[in-house]
Amino acid sequence: MELMEALRTRRSCRNFLGTPVEEEKLQVVLEAAGWAPSVMNLQPWRFIVVKNPEVKQALQRAAEDAVRLAYERSGWKWLGKYRVDFLSQAPVVIVVTADPRDTGADQFLRPPSGYAMSCCAAIQNLMLAAHDLGLATLWYSLFDKQTVSHILGLPPHIEVISLVVLGYPAGALPAVPRRPIAELTTVLE
Amino acid sequence: MELMEALRTRRSCRNFLGTPVEEEKLQVVLEAAGWAPSVMNLQPWRFIVVKNPEVKQALQRAAEDAVRLAYERSGWKWLGKYRVDFLSQAPVVIVVTADPRDTGADQFLRPPSGYAMSCCAAIQNLMLAAHDLGLATLWYSLFDKQTVSHILGLPPHIEVISLVVLGYPAGALPAVPRRPIAELTTVLE
């Protein structure tokens, strides 16, 4: 697929088929993530590819707890009904984690964030590559990092950045409107 | 360009020609940024396109101060010689900022980061689109956010995320090696 088409037509997906993701395709999307830029080329990303049903269920329960907490604190009605079943429904959840020691010279300023930004570039690459292969994704970030870290038994120095849900979409993915970019841009000539 | 080729061949650039960036190309890269996913589609990104030489010089001085501070704190020799001239040399510096109020339900958990992650996806889109158009970029993040905010006269609630240097490359951009992705991946079957 042409780059510009991929950028324009990638969509977030919240309903997945149970169809497994082919091993070759999984490798391609992970490789694509690894081509992202990173501070000092330190490649701080560490991927945990979760196919295990029990672990996916545990991640879903953690997400449900976080949604419930956010609902109680916000009072936002839609959050009270927001379902995160996709975390167990999709064949794969890629937990993107980072080693914050791989953050470059910004570790000497405040706050260090290079490692997290690099991981986000990797996630965007991963999602674009998945789209190119006919797969769909959701970048999911409403969870408690400590809880997810505990579920996965991560060492204390590793930080959970985001979950990326991956699989074949169940149904069409509607386009989501964007604000005119001029409204969000200031030019200093 | 094919998506996968774009992902694989995008490079960071630190030497730019003085050649201006065509207005149409600038629009394309900003539009590409705006196609990124964002939490609740809030599109938290705000772009400040800096072409003004005095402002670029001020950004460069801010970056030099941050590099000096990081050098003093780290003792890393290469930082003592690290030059950030590209900030005034390149025709355009896009300051990517965010409105943290556009961060979705994660504002009710700790720490909110949805707005920053969305901006990083936008930056990656922007850099890929630039590469597709024959332009080159550098994602630059070693600066003090308050100083850059002050230079640009930003309102207090707006947060500076990163600078993206944009222009035509002066010379070839060598490939940077990547670690085998299997080394960075764990699979839970």
Side-chain angles (χ1 to χ4, degrees):
Chain A
M1 192 185 295
E2 283 286 309
L3 169 74
M4 292 296 187
E5 188 194 343
L7 298 182
R8 212 180 280 125
T9 60
R10 180 211 49 78
R11 307 266 178 266
S12 298
C13 176
R14 290 176 184 81
N15 285 291
F16 294 87
L17 301 175
T19 320
V21 174
E22 297 86 340
E23 199 51 41
E24 316 82 76
K25 291 193 176 184
L26 187 56
Q27 285 308 310
V28 170
V29 304
L30 291 169
E31 295 272 352
W35 294 326
S38 61
V39 180
M40 288 168 57
N41 195 32
L42 286 165
Q43 306 164 65
W45 39 75
R46 304 291 182 272
F47 304 105
I48 302 170
V49 177
V50 182
K51 301 177 184 177
N52 182 287
E54 285 76 37
V55 181
K56 286 193 291 175
Q57 279 288 354
L59 293 174
Q60 181 173 320
R61 282 193 297 274
E64 285 165 351
D65 288 346
V67 168
R68 192 174 310 117
L69 195 63
Y71 171 62
E72 288 164 8
R73 291 178 179 175
S74 68
W76 292 356
K77 284 210 176 112
W78 68 268
L79 266 179
K81 295 176 279 190
Y82 187 56
R83 302 187 61 131
V84 291
D85 307 42
F86 43 74
L87 285 164
S88 60
Q89 184 192 54
V92 178
V93 176
I94 301 174
V95 184
V96 180
T97 73
D99 190 333
R101 295 171 301 193
D102 289 351
T103 200
D106 69 308
Q107 69 188 268
F108 302 105
L109 303 179
R110 194 175 49 89
S113 59
Y115 66 98
M117 294 199 293
S118 304
C119 286
C120 292
I123 291 171
Q124 180 65 0
N125 271 15
L126 188 158
M127 299 197 307
L128 290 169
H131 176 49
D132 187 54
L133 296 169
L135 291 159
T137 52
L138 185 71
W139 185 335
Y140 186 80
S141 57
L142 196 62
F143 57 84
D144 177 69
K145 293 187 174 206
Q146 290 307 317
T147 307
V148 169
S149 182
H150 181 73
I151 290 168
L152 299 170
L154 300 179
H157 69 281
I158 292 290
E159 180 177 326
V160 181
I161 303 294
S162 280
L163 311 183
V164 182
V165 190
L166 176 72
Y168 285 94
L173 303 171
V176 174
R178 289 293 191 272
R179 296 172 64 176
I181 207 73
E183 280 181 12
L184 306 171
T185 306
T186 307
V187 181
L188 302 181
E189 299 279 1
Chain B
M1 193 185 294
E2 281 286 310
L3 169 75
M4 292 296 188
E5 187 193 343
L7 297 182
R8 211 180 279 125
T9 60
R10 180 211 50 78
R11 306 266 179 265
S12 298
C13 176
R14 291 175 182 79
N15 285 291
F16 293 88
L17 302 175
T19 321
V21 174
E22 298 85 339
E23 198 52 40
E24 316 82 76
K25 291 193 176 184
L26 187 56
Q27 284 308 309
V28 170
V29 304
L30 291 168
E31 295 272 351
W35 294 325
S38 62
V39 181
M40 291 168 55
N41 195 33
L42 286 165
Q43 304 163 66
W45 39 75
R46 305 289 182 273
F47 303 105
I48 302 169
V49 177
V50 181
K51 303 177 182 176
N52 181 288
E54 284 76 36
V55 180
K56 286 192 294 173
Q57 280 287 355
L59 292 174
Q60 181 173 321
R61 282 193 298 273
E64 285 165 350
D65 288 346
V67 168
R68 193 175 310 117
L69 195 63
Y71 170 62
E72 287 165 7
R73 291 178 179 175
S74 68
W76 290 356
K77 284 212 176 113
W78 67 268
L79 265 179
K81 293 178 279 188
Y82 187 55
R83 301 188 60 133
V84 291
D85 307 44
F86 43 75
L87 286 164
S88 59
Q89 183 191 53
V92 178
V93 177
I94 300 175
V95 184
V96 181
T97 72
D99 189 333
R101 295 171 302 190
D102 290 351
T103 201
D106 70 306
Q107 69 187 270
F108 302 105
L109 303 179
R110 194 173 50 88
S113 57
Y115 66 97
M117 294 199 293
S118 304
C119 286
C120 292
I123 290 170
Q124 181 65 0
N125 271 15
L126 188 158
M127 298 197 307
L128 290 169
H131 175 49
D132 187 54
L133 296 170
L135 292 158
T137 53
L138 184 72
W139 184 335
Y140 185 81
S141 57
L142 197 62
F143 57 84
D144 176 68
K145 292 188 176 208
Q146 291 306 318
T147 307
V148 169
S149 182
H150 181 73
I151 289 168
L152 299 170
L154 299 180
H157 68 281
I158 292 290
E159 180 177 325
V160 180
I161 303 292
S162 279
L163 312 184
V164 182
V165 190
L166 176 71
Y168 286 94
L173 302 172
V176 174
R178 289 292 190 275
R179 296 171 63 176
I181 207 74
E183 281 182 12
L184 307 171
T185 305
T186 306
V187 180
L188 303 181
E189 299 279 1

